[in-house]
Amino acid sequence: MSLLADRGFLRVNGPDSQRFLQGQLSNNLDTLEPAQHHLSTACTPKGRMYSAFRLLNSEDTFLLSMHHGLLDTTQATLGKYAVFFKTELTTDSSLVALGLSGSDISTTVNEVFGRTPEAGCAIEVGENIWLLAVPGACERYELWLPADQLSDWWNRLKTSFRPLAQSHWRLLDIEAVIPELLPEAIEQYIPQHLNLPSLNAVSFRKGCYTGQEIVARMQNLGQLKSRCYRLTASSAVELPANTKLVNAAGKTMGEVLYAATPSDTNQTELLAVIRVEAAETGDVQLPDIDITFTVSSLPYSIDVKAELQR
């Protein structure tokens, strides 16, 4: 059980909310039923992501969960388009999120909550409290709840779950290669750089949305030279976002998205956007520090043509 302390929420409601978001987000909201959720992103007209989040259709409103450092940019940019619709965007500072993971977790979740949501779905376990089944290399869940109920839920859950730092949840994201967009990377990448079409966060058949032309063109051309990969450093090292990575010849191969160091190892795990050729040869290093990196194969397939049919 980890408190996702850097998580923030944006609430979108009003009669035109779905139509409004359909014209701005990369995924297809027409197929998102109540109590379902998926990853999505919002792009500039040049196809660069200024926000990425998990979007929940909570029946009477849409909830967007993202790094809190993206909230202001997301609200301000979407707000420029929202004025033409009957919809309202508000930052919901009353919500917090917990990450739940572990072996045989579905049994524990069923015992605690009385039922278990299916993949891509959520169940309401109390007023304004949602339990979401989220993807990963292992089975895991997120609990979105009012901050004023956090203490009560924490005490209740710690009888079944061991409290761990948020870095544990970040390591699970790294293991599954499910990237989170941080404030340091705003407008730096198109969705394909973070493998988002392969994570069902982009629809190429939904029609127009802001940035769609650039995103679709890159997918159709199939000429993307860089993607997100999981790397393991040979020793524990601090790797801030945007740390440059090079090959043996000193040529820039990409940059770090974010990193975490497990407490029980002397290695650092990280997600980085690097050139595909560097990932395939394993030729990745730091410019000035003698540390080697191991590049892991992706835990899911990249099928550009199949993704175009979604």
Side-chain angles (χ1 to χ4, degrees):
M1 176 173 63
S2 302
L3 174 62
L4 309 184
D6 63 5
R7 194 70 63 83
F9 291 86
L10 188 66
R11 186 178 292 271
V12 184
N13 55 15
D16 290 345
S17 293
Q18 180 165 335
R19 188 163 62 93
F20 159 65
L21 292 174
Q22 180 76 341
Q24 295 301 320
L25 308 187
S26 62
N27 221 320
N28 190 355
L29 273 76
D30 288 346
T31 63
L32 187 68
E33 299 293 334
Q36 291 184 342
H37 61 88
H38 56 206
L39 292 174
S40 193
T41 181
C43 300
T44 68
K46 294 183 178 181
R48 299 281 167 167
M49 295 183 293
Y50 63 84
S51 190
F53 39 82
R54 184 164 298 281
L55 172 70
L56 170 66
N57 181 348
S58 66
E59 300 188 26
D60 60 345
T61 188
F62 291 96
L63 283 174
L64 285 63
S65 170
M66 65 191 74
H67 190 283
H68 62 70
L70 303 179
L71 284 172
D72 289 346
T73 298
T74 304
Q75 185 175 16
T77 307
L78 286 177
K80 296 176 183 178
Y81 304 95
V83 296
F84 303 105
F85 298 85
K86 294 179 181 178
T87 186
E88 184 179 8
L89 287 72
T90 54
T91 300
D92 193 338
S93 57
S94 70
L95 290 177
V96 295
L98 295 176
L100 305 175
S101 60
S103 59
D104 196 26
I105 185 175
S106 59
T107 299
T108 305
V109 165
N110 194 60
E111 291 173 351
V112 172
F113 297 98
R115 49 192 173 135
T116 306
E118 298 179 355
C121 296
I123 56 175
E124 195 168 10
V125 296
E127 186 176 356
N128 204 26
I129 303 174
W130 290 90
L131 180 69
L132 296 75
V134 298
C138 61
E139 193 174 2
R140 56 184 186 155
Y141 302 85
E142 289 187 11
L143 183 66
W144 299 358
L145 70 158
D148 59 9
Q149 297 186 41
L150 174 61
S151 178
D152 290 341
W153 275 96
W154 187 271
N155 290 330
R156 176 182 174 184
L157 290 170
K158 71 180 181 181
T159 62
S160 302
F161 294 91
R162 179 163 54 99
L164 293 173
Q166 183 174 346
S167 57
H168 171 72
W169 193 257
R170 177 143 290 174
L171 284 165
L172 293 179
D173 280 339
I174 292 173
E175 179 185 12
V177 194
I178 300 178
E180 178 184 13
L181 188 70
L182 300 189
E184 294 87 345
I186 290 177
E187 296 190 27
Q188 191 166 320
Y189 301 112
I190 63 173
Q192 287 93 333
H193 284 135
L194 300 193
N195 308 344
L196 291 179
S198 305
L199 295 169
N200 297 314
V202 180
S203 170
F204 294 97
R205 298 175 67 86
K206 61 169 281 186
C208 293
Y209 59 91
T210 302
Q212 177 264 343
E213 183 179 357
I214 304 298
V215 176
R217 182 186 304 158
M218 178 58 72
Q219 191 79 4
N220 279 288
L221 292 174
Q223 296 178 346
L224 190 71
K225 296 181 179 179
S226 298
R227 288 194 177 276
C228 184
Y229 292 90
R230 173 191 177 187
L231 281 67
T232 303
S234 58
S235 60
V237 60
E238 186 174 349
L239 294 169
N242 293 323
T243 297
K244 185 169 71 171
L245 300 171
V246 300
N247 63 9
K251 181 180 178 180
T252 298
M253 289 290 106
E255 57 282 325
V256 173
L257 277 179
Y258 48 80
T261 300
S263 58
D264 57 348
T265 70
N266 190 37
Q267 297 179 325
T268 294
E269 300 285 345
L270 62 143
L271 291 182
V273 177
I274 59 174
R275 293 181 70 89
V276 174
E277 63 191 70
E280 292 174 346
T281 61
D283 187 7
V284 184
Q285 54 191 267
L286 291 169
D288 305 314
I289 304 176
D290 186 19
I291 290 177
T292 59
F293 290 94
T294 301
V295 183
S296 299
S297 57
L298 290 173
Y300 45 80
S301 62
I302 302 288
D303 190 334
V304 174
K305 291 184 179 180
E307 291 162 7
L308 281 169
Q309 303 308 309
R310 295 174 185 159

